[in-house]
Amino acid sequence: MADRIPADVFPPGDLIREELEARGWTQAEFAEVIGRSAPAISDVITGKAKITSEMSEALGEAFGVSPGYFLRLQATFDAGCLTEKKGETTRRAALHTAAPVTEMVKRGWIEPSRKVEELERFVCQFFGIARLEDPPSIPGFAMRKGSGVSFNRSHAAWLMRVKQLGHSAPGAAFSTKRFENGLSELKQLVGSAEDSRKVPRVLADMGIRFVIVEHLSKTRIDGVCLWLDRKTPIVALSLRYERLDQFWYTLMHELGHVREGDGLDSESNLDVDLIQAVSEDRDDRPEPEKKADAFAAESLIPKAELENFIARVHPFYSTARIQGFANRLGVHESIVIGQLQHLGKIPFTHGSKRIASCGVRSILTEASLTDGWGRVISRQPSQRKD
């Protein structure tokens, strides 16, 4: 054994084990040689215990090297481990910047692993990319201007999950005729919260893949219209709110995008804070968003009908008047309340109890392909073709 520090960084115990094998000594015999217990020797060899000055002196005497040799070997190994740990920390920081790893693991979107290189591979596979720096292979991620939304990897992860699930969602062949027929059928379901469970079936008949994916923290995603190909639209909602009126408005807004073919020849529209944007009625909203807003509002309550109602009863919006108007149109009263609230005709506290009693999430998630709220679906749903 040369009295020097080897160039390669390795555990001191490896060298001790090799020397014992070369000399034909057992650990028990070696323990007797240097006057230590067998467990103490075992702990040093396996790396459970570090070499102390006293142990280094005993080892050096037994192996014929300087007293400080093994102490220096331990210090070199410790420094190498620290450098390696710092490098791993840097990689983990980059990984968690590139993707919401903790949430993705919790939601079952990627497998858990203690090894950073494995997590990197899982994240890249999920996004369909070769390197973490590459943009995810999904529509919509590059859209930054005009929507007021600053996209990040959490938005991209949600969109990617929607795209994955879209392959497994049921749906007939999409056509304009199916769309218009289905739209008429959907309007028959707006009068009852319970009837919302029929929505996924109607959308499938229209040729629209419908999925529900719970939003990731701090993304405030409400919904999106994507296309798997030029004839296969997906509508995805996050159901951030339990309100029936917000469900119907967001759904109709996304159907407005489908009707116009938004996302086929341009970037897809990821709707974030949709209801707030509608309430603010910002002029800088993209034209496709304004058209989808108009389609949603008109589909639920024709503009002329709502304006006539406001002209007749303003500012006395009693429960009886709202219910009577809703019944005449065949819509749920929460939808009338919601539109009046967003037009600023009544405060958001008006009718809040009646709206809160119309929670739709539990009804829809039981009838739809759903990812979230504790439900974990296969990480890679089978890609079906109809």
Side-chain angles (χ1 to χ4, degrees):
M1 181 186 295
D3 191 4
R4 61 186 177 80
I5 297 296
D8 294 332
V9 178
F10 55 85
D14 288 358
L15 184 58
I16 297 173
R17 184 186 295 107
E18 290 175 2
E19 283 297 314
L20 294 184
E21 291 175 357
R23 295 165 189 251
W25 291 350
T26 65
Q27 291 186 21
E29 288 174 330
F30 185 59
E32 290 185 11
V33 169
I34 65 174
R36 298 291 189 281
S37 68
I41 297 301
S42 176
D43 286 347
V44 168
I45 290 176
T46 59
K48 293 181 180 179
K50 292 185 178 183
I51 295 175
T52 63
S53 297
E54 186 179 0
M55 177 65 79
S56 178
E57 187 172 347
L59 291 171
E61 186 175 352
F63 291 140
V65 295
S66 67
Y69 176 79
F70 281 95
L71 196 63
R72 295 195 301 274
L73 192 62
Q74 181 72 61
T76 301
F77 175 70
D78 290 345
C81 288
L82 182 60
T83 300
E84 182 178 343
K85 186 175 181 180
K86 287 182 178 179
E88 183 173 311
T89 299
T90 300
R91 289 180 70 180
R92 285 188 181 278
L95 179 60
H96 282 263
T97 299
V101 176
T102 302
E103 284 192 272
M104 290 171 71
V105 169
K106 183 178 179 181
R107 297 278 292 272
W109 296 0
I110 61 174
E111 295 181 19
S113 177
R114 292 180 177 273
K115 298 179 180 179
V116 65
E117 60 272 14
E118 283 191 348
L119 282 175
E120 287 175 345
R121 186 171 72 254
F122 296 154
V123 168
C124 287
Q125 289 173 348
F126 178 85
F127 283 119
I129 56 179
R131 303 173 305 165
L132 289 177
E133 309 84 61
D134 295 339
S137 58
I138 53 175
F141 181 72
M143 188 181 74
R144 296 179 183 276
K145 297 180 180 179
S147 65
V149 177
S150 177
F151 280 82
N152 57 45
R153 287 297 179 103
S154 291
H155 293 98
W158 189 87
L159 283 168
M160 193 71 215
R161 190 57 176 154
V162 166
K163 186 179 178 183
Q164 289 176 354
L165 295 182
H167 288 282
S168 297
F174 178 77
S175 69
T176 301
K177 183 178 180 180
R178 285 181 181 273
F179 181 90
E180 296 300 335
N181 290 341
L183 195 61
S184 298
E185 192 172 349
L186 284 176
K187 291 178 181 179
Q188 303 303 312
L189 307 178
V190 184
S192 164
E194 188 62 30
D195 279 347
S196 62
R197 70 174 63 254
K198 301 175 185 177
V199 167
R201 189 265 306 165
V202 175
L203 292 174
D205 290 344
M206 295 166 70
I208 297 172
R209 274 64 174 167
F210 178 65
V211 299
I212 296 173
V213 180
E214 182 183 3
H215 78 117
L216 297 172
S217 62
K218 300 179 181 179
T219 57
R220 305 193 306 280
I221 294 172
D222 291 309
V224 75
C225 160
L226 293 178
W227 296 79
L228 289 179
D229 53 53
R230 298 195 70 82
K231 295 182 179 180
T232 312
I234 307 173
V235 164
L237 303 183
S238 72
L239 297 186
R240 281 201 301 145
Y241 301 103
E242 282 275 16
R243 291 177 52 148
L244 184 66
D245 64 311
Q246 294 195 3
F247 156 68
W248 275 109
Y249 190 91
T250 306
L251 174 63
M252 289 300 186
H253 180 95
E254 301 308 336
L255 291 180
H257 285 310
V258 174
R259 191 168 188 253
E260 296 297 324
D262 294 336
L264 276 173
D265 299 307
S266 61
E267 295 156 347
S268 299
N269 298 281
L270 178 62
D271 287 303
V272 177
D273 272 340
L274 175 62
I275 303 302
Q276 179 180 343
V278 173
S279 299
E280 293 174 354
D281 194 24
R282 297 197 314 264
D283 290 334
D284 64 343
R285 297 190 75 216
E287 196 59 35
E289 293 301 312
K290 293 180 181 179
K291 290 183 71 172
D293 288 340
F295 176 82
E298 186 70 19
S299 296
L300 295 171
I301 301 178
K303 184 178 180 181
E305 290 277 8
L306 186 59
E307 289 178 346
N308 181 266
F309 174 71
I310 292 172
R312 285 188 293 106
V313 306
H314 186 77
F316 303 107
Y317 298 97
S318 66
T319 299
R321 285 175 172 173
I322 289 176
Q323 288 177 337
F325 179 58
N327 290 338
R328 184 170 66 80
L329 293 181
V331 302
H332 196 278
E333 62 178 307
S334 67
I335 294 175
V336 178
I337 293 172
Q339 293 216 13
L340 291 173
Q341 287 175 342
H342 292 294
L343 288 173
K345 301 301 179 181
I346 60 175
F348 278 88
T349 54
H350 189 119
S352 57
K353 289 185 178 180
R354 296 198 298 283
I355 287 179
S357 67
C358 302
V360 72
R361 184 186 297 155
S362 61
I363 297 174
L364 273 168
T365 53
E366 289 297 325
S368 310
L369 182 57
T370 300
D371 184 313
W373 302 283
R375 298 172 183 233
V376 177
I377 305 175
S378 171
R379 292 182 182 89
Q380 296 295 333
S382 61
Q383 298 200 0
R384 56 177 288 175
K385 294 183 179 179
D386 294 295

